[in-house]
Amino acid sequence: MSNSKRLVVNLSETLYNELNKVLQEDCKKSSEFIREAIILYIKEKKRSNISAMEKGYKEMAQLNLEFAEMGFANDMKDFKEYEAKLSESDLADDNNSKKRRYILC
């Protein structure tokens, strides 16, 4: 590993002894074991963050749906008003009136 960095770790004697037992059982070097442990920790941390975001989206789902429905209801109300105004501007000639009602949109 040409771009590797050296890491110094201080362990209590008890933890050091437990680590040595595990290393003997798994026939691994301490650097290999620590490298794998770090990789596993980082993967678990990322998975945990994704789970937290997923939980947040699920918790906010109902509120977001309510906001979307409110917006849709307002849009439909505006659309109906717009169509009503358009239909008013299309009247035949307003009872023979010289002025016609035109709506600027």
Side-chain angles (χ1 to χ4, degrees):
M1 289 189 215
S2 61
N3 291 332
S4 64
K5 302 290 182 187
R6 186 173 206 74
L7 176 67
V8 177
V9 179
N10 292 321
L11 303 174
S12 67
E13 190 170 341
T14 306
L15 187 56
Y16 179 78
N17 291 335
E18 287 184 40
L19 174 63
N20 280 331
K21 286 179 191 176
V22 171
L23 292 174
Q24 287 174 353
E25 290 172 6
D26 291 349
C27 299
K28 291 186 178 180
K29 293 182 178 181
S30 59
S31 60
E32 180 184 5
F33 177 83
I34 291 172
R35 190 171 27 257
E36 289 176 4
I38 291 171
I39 290 169
L40 286 173
Y41 178 81
I42 291 171
K43 283 182 181 178
E44 178 61 26
K45 192 78 168 168
K46 287 179 181 178
R47 190 190 66 74
S48 174
N49 287 343
I50 289 172
S51 295
M53 287 190 321
E54 181 181 356
K55 180 183 174 195
Y57 281 120
K58 287 180 180 177
E59 288 175 357
M60 295 298 294
Q62 185 60 38
L63 182 61
N64 290 335
L65 180 61
E66 290 172 14
F67 283 148
E69 288 174 348
M70 283 183 347
F72 182 73
N74 285 338
D75 289 346
M76 288 306 296
K77 181 180 138 275
D78 292 343
F79 180 69
K80 287 177 182 179
E81 288 174 6
Y82 172 77
E83 282 193 329
K85 289 178 182 179
L86 280 179
S87 67
E88 289 174 5
S89 71
D90 289 339
L91 292 176
D93 64 358
D94 293 342
N95 300 324
N96 296 322
S97 169
K98 292 186 178 184
K99 291 185 177 179
R100 290 208 39 183
R101 290 182 279 165
Y102 288 98
I103 308 295
L104 297 176
C105 300

